[in-house]
Amino acid sequence: MVILLLVTVNLLTLVGDIEQPIVGYGVARVVDSRHSDFKKGDLVWGTTIGWEEYSLMTAPEYLFKINHTDDIPLSYYTGILGMPGMTAYFGFFDIGSPKEGDRVYVSSASGAIGLLVGQFAKLIGCYVVGSAGSKEKVVLLKTKFGFDDAFNYKEEHDLDAALKRYFPEGIDIYFENVGGKMLDAVLLNMRHHGRIALCGMISQYNLEQPESVHNLIAVLFKQIRMEGFAVAECYDQYSKFLDFVLPYIKEGKIVYVEDITEGLESGPAALIGLFSGRNVGKQVVKVAQE
């Protein structure tokens, strides 16, 4: 059994039946354990923690022990040191196969995953452009997160023309978080042997009839690699990810922001806000104090 400290609001991992708590990613402290890998007092993050003050955990294989240090906020394990960070890392490096000088485009770039992809790309010398849904987020991408450029997709009436403006020589790597018309436009602007990491398609989640993908012929003619991925398949490489990211965090070379909401009663509003792009960075709900 664990006491819940923080839960992360995440579109694809929230599950729950009527009259049952929603389950998602969270950080918790063990208050009692009958499992040999966990003892009372251990801090953990995992994928099956309920939106509640206490949870009974029956699937410990989905929990990761936290070797916590005071210079790292515990909430980071719902974000940069948890699922979002791993998603950005393995999606970008394993599927994107980046090299110095690559031209990288990130949609939904001010979200918890997108802002990390952009910074990872800059660390290895890529040219990076991101898109977001407000002028304020565009400014943050360029001034706080180090993107070379950024644009507000809501102000662009022709996404194809917008991408040609920012990528006159085409896109080598696209980190996909949106889908729909954005993906259609990107396909027209990919370079030969470009790579697309399919992380999410937020524009499609609430549609009764998902939109079709157009311009797929570009995948054939330009020999584009487009691949979806599930970060859960990379959990066995968690230590590899930590070895990469922790030094950058401690050296201040990666900037990370969180939108923390206090109280379980604030959870529904925080979740709904994701669909309107209200948050910048990782949306976290703080359920209980230690």
Side-chain angles (χ1 to χ4, degrees):
M1 184 177 288
V2 297
I3 181 168
L4 190 60
L5 302 178
L6 299 149
V7 294
T8 181
V9 178
N10 181 7
L11 297 178
L12 294 182
T13 59
L14 298 177
V15 294
D17 299 322
I18 295 175
E19 298 183 356
Q20 297 295 321
I22 294 175
V23 173
Y25 289 85
V27 173
R29 185 181 295 277
V30 177
V31 296
D32 189 24
S33 174
R34 297 180 182 177
H35 194 281
S36 59
D37 291 345
F38 303 97
K39 65 181 184 299
K40 181 178 179 180
D42 282 347
L43 289 165
V44 297
W45 74 270
T47 65
T48 56
I49 296 175
W51 286 34
E52 53 192 352
E53 291 192 7
Y54 292 89
S55 291
L56 178 63
M57 309 299 293
T58 58
E61 64 271 20
Y62 296 112
L63 293 177
F64 298 85
K65 194 176 296 186
I66 297 173
N67 296 315
H68 186 243
T69 57
D70 292 338
D71 56 343
I72 301 291
L74 273 177
S75 56
Y76 274 27
Y77 290 90
T78 70
I80 187 171
L81 295 179
M83 180 278 294
M86 293 185 71
T87 300
Y89 175 80
F90 288 106
F92 179 64
F93 286 104
D94 286 4
I95 297 177
S97 300
K99 61 183 182 297
E100 184 178 357
D102 274 347
R103 302 160 183 85
V104 178
Y105 174 49
V106 185
S107 58
S108 191
S110 65
I113 295 171
L115 64 84
L116 292 175
V117 172
Q119 292 182 79
F120 292 164
K122 289 303 300 177
L123 286 171
I124 63 170
C126 296
Y127 169 77
V128 186
V129 176
S131 61
S134 73
K135 293 179 180 179
E136 294 77 14
K137 290 180 178 180
V138 167
V139 170
L140 283 174
L141 290 175
K142 293 191 288 185
T143 61
K144 191 176 184 70
F145 302 120
F147 283 60
D148 292 290
D149 217 330
F151 64 93
N152 181 354
Y153 71 89
K154 293 180 181 179
E155 295 179 345
E156 300 291 344
H157 301 293
D158 185 337
L159 291 173
D160 177 31
L163 292 174
K164 283 182 168 58
R165 187 165 72 247
Y166 291 98
F167 295 97
E169 298 181 20
I171 301 167
D172 293 298
I173 301 171
Y174 173 45
F175 200 92
E176 166 68 301
N177 290 307
V178 173
K181 293 179 175 60
M182 183 64 78
L183 178 58
D184 293 344
V186 167
L187 287 171
L188 295 175
N189 288 276
M190 293 296 295
R191 289 166 57 87
H192 276 82
H193 300 290
R195 289 84 70 198
I196 299 176
L198 292 173
C199 173
M201 292 191 172
I202 194 171
S203 70
Q204 305 300 297
Y205 298 152
N206 286 337
L207 300 181
E208 291 185 6
Q209 183 62 47
E211 297 172 322
S212 299
V213 179
H214 300 89
N215 305 322
L216 275 176
I217 198 169
V219 176
L220 174 62
F221 288 163
K222 297 182 181 181
Q223 297 173 284
I224 298 167
R225 176 188 177 189
M226 182 163 62
E227 182 176 341
F229 66 99
V231 71
E233 296 183 357
C234 304
Y235 283 156
D236 61 344
Q237 301 181 67
Y238 185 52
S239 61
K240 174 185 175 182
F241 163 68
L242 288 181
D243 289 342
F244 170 83
V245 75
L246 276 174
Y248 286 122
I249 294 174
K250 293 179 179 179
E251 293 167 14
K253 294 182 177 179
I254 292 179
V255 179
Y256 187 66
V257 296
E258 300 171 297
D259 188 338
I260 298 179
T261 299
E262 297 279 347
L264 185 58
E265 66 279 2
S266 302
L271 175 59
I272 293 170
L274 291 177
F275 292 97
S276 61
R278 185 193 61 79
N279 65 298
V280 175
K282 190 62 188 175
Q283 178 68 69
V284 178
V285 178
K286 192 170 187 177
V287 174
Q289 300 286 350
E290 286 199 76

